[in-house]
Amino acid sequence: MRTDEWPAIFSLRPEAISLASDGVAPPGTARFSGAVQQQFFSGASELLEVNCGDGQLLRVRISAREPLFGEHEFVFSGADAIRVQE
C-alpha cells in the first residue's frame, strides 16, 4: 500500500504561504484557493484568515498591501509542510 494515499495532517507556518499572484510558483510548490475572511494589519505585514472550505481555516502572513476580499490563489513549498499526524 502506498503511504501517499493515506490522509495526513501537516503544519505550515503562516509566513511560508504567499499569494500566487506575487510570482511564478517554482517546482515543488502546492497551490490552493481560499476566501479571505479577515485581514489583520500589523505594520509591515498582515495576517489573513483564509477559509479553504470544509471547515479548514489557514492563517497567512503577507507583506502589507491594500485590503483583500473574496477568493484568492495561494502557494507554498512542499518542503515547508511538516507532517504531524497520519
Side-chain angles (χ1 to χ4, degrees):
M1 184 177 284
R2 293 176 26 189
T3 59
D4 61 344
E5 295 176 352
W6 298 347
I9 295 175
F10 292 85
S11 175
L12 189 62
R13 296 180 61 84
E15 61 273 11
I17 306 168
S18 61
L19 285 165
S21 61
D22 284 349
V24 177
T29 59
R31 186 179 190 106
F32 67 95
S33 62
V36 176
Q37 288 191 321
Q38 292 190 44
Q39 187 169 3
F40 302 96
F41 301 97
S42 344
S45 68
E46 298 179 2
L47 189 64
L48 306 177
E49 188 173 84
V50 178
N51 183 340
C52 299
D54 294 331
Q56 296 180 3
L57 291 176
L58 285 179
R59 294 223 166 100
V60 177
R61 185 165 302 282
I62 60 170
S63 298
R65 61 181 63 222
E66 72 281 346
L68 296 174
F69 302 98
E71 194 86 9
H72 291 274
E73 293 282 320
F74 298 89
V75 295
F76 63 90
S77 169
D80 289 330
I82 308 300
R83 191 177 198 145
V84 294
Q85 181 180 358
E86 291 185 18

